Amino acid sequence: MRRTFADPYATVKWTFAATPQLTIETSVQNALSRKHDRDRIVYTGPRSAEDVQFTENRWYRAKTGAFISLRYQH
């Protein structure tokens, strides 16, 4: 079983139709560099009948990601 907790973060996206065939899309994700937590619980078998084998907690601070996409339709 996995659960992910994330502080609210901002994503900025801009799409521009340069021509009817060409679309340019840019985005910036996690602009505020927020923290993410992930919990994982692994069972020895089915969760309803078996014991917990181990638990894992990870957190990371993702860096801001910038993306550019060009889409051409012919």
Side-chain angles (χ1 to χ4, degrees):
M1 180 171 74
R2 290 185 180 174
R3 294 183 297 184
T4 301
F5 302 98
D7 292 337
Y9 67 92
T11 297
V12 178
K13 185 175 183 181
W14 178 68
T15 304
F16 174 65
T19 69
Q21 293 84 21
L22 178 64
T23 303
I24 303 168
E25 184 174 285
T26 61
S27 66
V28 176
Q29 296 181 351
N30 200 14
L32 304 173
S33 188
R34 301 292 186 168
K35 184 175 99 170
H36 294 256
D37 287 313
R38 177 186 282 169
D39 293 334
R40 187 173 98 158
I41 302 170
V42 176
Y43 294 85
T44 56
R47 286 187 306 192
S48 61
E50 300 296 329
D51 294 329
V52 173
Q53 185 174 5
F54 66 90
T55 61
E56 178 181 62
N57 180 280
R58 295 183 191 180
W59 73 270
Y60 61 95
R61 191 170 302 276
K63 295 188 184 239
T64 300
F67 303 95
I68 298 174
S69 170
L70 300 174
R71 183 175 303 141
Y72 182 76
Q73 299 175 358
H74 57 280

PDB file of all heavy atoms in Angstrom, residues 7 18 37-38 45 49 56 68 71:
ATOM      1  N   ASP A   7       2.720  18.876  -0.032  1.00  0.00           N
ATOM      2  CA  ASP A   7       2.284  20.241   0.246  1.00  0.00           C
ATOM      3  C   ASP A   7       1.746  20.823  -1.053  1.00  0.00           C
ATOM      4  O   ASP A   7       2.196  20.459  -2.137  1.00  0.00           O
ATOM      5  CB  ASP A   7       3.459  21.087   0.740  1.00  0.00           C
ATOM      6  CG  ASP A   7       3.946  20.662   2.110  1.00  0.00           C
ATOM      7  OD1 ASP A   7       3.154  20.050   2.849  1.00  0.00           O
ATOM      8  OD2 ASP A   7       5.107  20.938   2.440  1.00  0.00           O
ATOM      9  N   ALA A  18       0.782  28.690 -32.448  1.00  0.00           N
ATOM     10  CA  ALA A  18       1.528  29.537 -33.380  1.00  0.00           C
ATOM     11  C   ALA A  18       0.909  29.507 -34.779  1.00  0.00           C
ATOM     12  O   ALA A  18       0.804  30.544 -35.435  1.00  0.00           O
ATOM     13  CB  ALA A  18       2.986  29.101 -33.429  1.00  0.00           C
ATOM     14  N   ASP A  37       5.961  13.616   0.778  1.00  0.00           N
ATOM     15  CA  ASP A  37       6.156  12.458   1.652  1.00  0.00           C
ATOM     16  C   ASP A  37       5.525  11.244   0.988  1.00  0.00           C
ATOM     17  O   ASP A  37       4.436  11.339   0.432  1.00  0.00           O
ATOM     18  CB  ASP A  37       5.469  12.648   3.007  1.00  0.00           C
ATOM     19  CG  ASP A  37       6.171  13.639   3.886  1.00  0.00           C
ATOM     20  OD1 ASP A  37       7.401  13.535   4.005  1.00  0.00           O
ATOM     21  OD2 ASP A  37       5.500  14.515   4.452  1.00  0.00           O
ATOM     22  N   ARG A  38       6.194  10.103   1.089  1.00  0.00           N
ATOM     23  CA  ARG A  38       5.622   8.859   0.582  1.00  0.00           C
ATOM     24  C   ARG A  38       5.781   7.779   1.636  1.00  0.00           C
ATOM     25  O   ARG A  38       6.880   7.491   2.081  1.00  0.00           O
ATOM     26  CB  ARG A  38       6.307   8.419  -0.702  1.00  0.00           C
ATOM     27  CG  ARG A  38       5.741   7.072  -1.194  1.00  0.00           C
ATOM     28  CD  ARG A  38       6.481   6.539  -2.366  1.00  0.00           C
ATOM     29  NE  ARG A  38       6.049   7.239  -3.548  1.00  0.00           N
ATOM     30  CZ  ARG A  38       6.664   7.143  -4.715  1.00  0.00           C
ATOM     31  NH1 ARG A  38       7.734   6.399  -4.838  1.00  0.00           N
ATOM     32  NH2 ARG A  38       6.215   7.777  -5.762  1.00  0.00           N
ATOM     33  N   GLY A  45       1.663 -11.090   2.507  1.00  0.00           N
ATOM     34  CA  GLY A  45       0.652 -11.702   1.644  1.00  0.00           C
ATOM     35  C   GLY A  45      -0.499 -10.730   1.480  1.00  0.00           C
ATOM     36  O   GLY A  45      -0.298  -9.521   1.524  1.00  0.00           O
ATOM     37  N   ALA A  49      -5.141 -10.676   5.488  1.00  0.00           N
ATOM     38  CA  ALA A  49      -4.841 -11.903   6.220  1.00  0.00           C
ATOM     39  C   ALA A  49      -3.411 -12.013   6.738  1.00  0.00           C
ATOM     40  O   ALA A  49      -3.135 -12.846   7.584  1.00  0.00           O
ATOM     41  CB  ALA A  49      -5.140 -13.108   5.321  1.00  0.00           C
ATOM     42  N   GLU A  56       8.064   1.785   5.097  1.00  0.00           N
ATOM     43  CA  GLU A  56       9.082   2.677   4.564  1.00  0.00           C
ATOM     44  C   GLU A  56       8.489   4.075   4.474  1.00  0.00           C
ATOM     45  O   GLU A  56       7.348   4.239   4.064  1.00  0.00           O
ATOM     46  CB  GLU A  56       9.460   2.171   3.168  1.00  0.00           C
ATOM     47  CG  GLU A  56      10.460   2.978   2.434  1.00  0.00           C
ATOM     48  CD  GLU A  56      10.714   2.373   1.060  1.00  0.00           C
ATOM     49  OE1 GLU A  56       9.760   2.310   0.258  1.00  0.00           O
ATOM     50  OE2 GLU A  56      11.854   1.971   0.794  1.00  0.00           O
ATOM     51  N   ILE A  68       9.217  22.323 -22.038  1.00  0.00           N
ATOM     52  CA  ILE A  68       8.789  22.925 -23.287  1.00  0.00           C
ATOM     53  C   ILE A  68       8.357  21.796 -24.220  1.00  0.00           C
ATOM     54  O   ILE A  68       9.053  20.793 -24.360  1.00  0.00           O
ATOM     55  CB  ILE A  68       9.918  23.737 -23.967  1.00  0.00           C
ATOM     56  CG1 ILE A  68      10.344  24.893 -23.071  1.00  0.00           C
ATOM     57  CG2 ILE A  68       9.464  24.256 -25.322  1.00  0.00           C
ATOM     58  CD1 ILE A  68      11.543  25.650 -23.584  1.00  0.00           C
ATOM     59  N   ARG A  71       4.357  20.733 -30.594  1.00  0.00           N
ATOM     60  CA  ARG A  71       3.491  19.723 -31.227  1.00  0.00           C
ATOM     61  C   ARG A  71       3.165  20.188 -32.647  1.00  0.00           C
ATOM     62  O   ARG A  71       2.602  21.262 -32.838  1.00  0.00           O
ATOM     63  CB  ARG A  71       2.207  19.564 -30.426  1.00  0.00           C
ATOM     64  CG  ARG A  71       1.304  18.490 -30.984  1.00  0.00           C
ATOM     65  CD  ARG A  71       0.092  18.267 -30.121  1.00  0.00           C
ATOM     66  NE  ARG A  71       0.511  17.929 -28.786  1.00  0.00           N
ATOM     67  CZ  ARG A  71      -0.116  18.371 -27.686  1.00  0.00           C
ATOM     68  NH1 ARG A  71      -1.158  19.151 -27.779  1.00  0.00           N
ATOM     69  NH2 ARG A  71       0.316  18.018 -26.500  1.00  0.00           N
TER      70      ARG A  71
END
